[in-house]
Amino acid sequence: MAVGPQESVLYPLGSRILAAATVTICAVIEASLLIYGHAELTIRATPAVLLAAVLVFALFWMPRVELDPGELRVVNPFRSYWISWPAIREIDSRWSLTLDTVRGRVTAWAAPSPGLFSQIGRMRRGAFRVTLSADRETRGAEQARQLVVQQWEAYRDQGVLGAVEGKGVTRRWNVPVLAAVAVLAAAAIAGAAWP
């Protein structure tokens, strides 16, 4: 039986706006190089422009926290975590959303930061509500913590947490991002060193 929020994806909307703007600027630079640049300059500069776009995408667009009835997923720029609800021992949001699990601490790279944009980024399916009251406590990382705590407490109150099955926490490197960064960094260095 699913309790608490059925599915939620938390991310800082401000970071995504920054990422979109930066990637757009990189696209304009690349288009300018292709249209107005010399072939040699285009070949040398393209890897650096693409590297900047990939890094901005990885650092500011990708990070998110996903909640669903079966598990919690923390997607960071270069590593992701799948955490079963029983594996969570403690939830902290003092500096950012940090989960103390049976296999160590997991920190969310980009739990939503406080502000209007983080409120808008959480809205789903036409639920256009933004609260700007000064006494609102659930803002940013605290808001993410509240949703995680609500889901975890709902499971606990229903007695469905039980023992941790398997590892409880699965860690995986984000191989496509790491590979793209490595290849583009090597190409950018080679382009800069090219006589």
Side-chain angles (χ1 to χ4, degrees):
M1 172 192 244
V3 291
Q6 300 308 299
E7 287 186 21
S8 297
V9 178
L10 307 167
Y11 56 85
L13 184 60
S15 292
R16 286 200 167 183
I17 291 170
L18 173 67
T22 305
V23 169
T24 301
I25 291 168
C26 288
V28 168
I29 291 170
E30 188 60 28
S32 297
L33 284 171
L34 291 171
I35 294 169
Y36 302 111
H38 299 291
E40 181 183 326
L41 176 61
T42 302
I43 291 170
R44 291 177 65 171
T46 294
V49 173
L50 293 177
L51 177 62
V54 167
L55 282 173
V56 166
F57 172 80
L59 296 173
F60 298 106
W61 186 275
M62 271 185 40
R64 61 191 178 278
V65 176
E66 301 174 354
L67 289 77
D68 69 34
E71 65 187 357
L72 174 84
R73 288 177 298 282
V74 175
V75 179
N76 286 336
F78 303 114
R79 202 164 193 190
S80 297
Y81 303 84
W82 285 259
I83 306 164
S84 68
W85 289 104
I88 299 172
R89 293 183 185 155
E90 186 179 331
I91 302 162
D92 181 27
S93 63
R94 192 170 344 165
W95 306 113
S96 66
L97 179 66
T98 304
L99 307 168
D100 184 21
T101 71
V102 294
R103 294 187 41 103
R105 295 175 69 80
V106 174
T107 301
W109 172 269
S113 59
L116 174 64
F117 289 127
S118 66
Q119 298 291 324
I120 293 171
R122 283 193 347 92
M123 289 186 261
R124 299 179 9 197
R125 298 187 187 130
F128 194 79
R129 283 181 300 169
V130 178
T131 303
L132 297 175
S133 62
D135 60 347
R136 182 169 175 89
E137 293 180 14
T138 56
R139 313 272 321 236
E142 176 63 18
Q143 183 178 54
R145 188 193 73 80
Q146 289 286 341
L147 286 174
V148 173
V149 168
Q150 278 179 339
Q151 182 87 347
W152 186 85
E153 286 178 346
Y155 281 124
R156 183 197 61 201
D157 294 345
Q158 299 238 346
V160 295
L161 280 180
V164 177
E165 295 180 15
K167 295 179 179 178
V169 178
T170 304
R171 299 175 173 121
R172 292 188 191 140
W173 291 103
N174 297 335
V175 175
V177 172
L178 289 168
V181 168
V183 168
L184 290 171
I189 291 169
W194 190 10

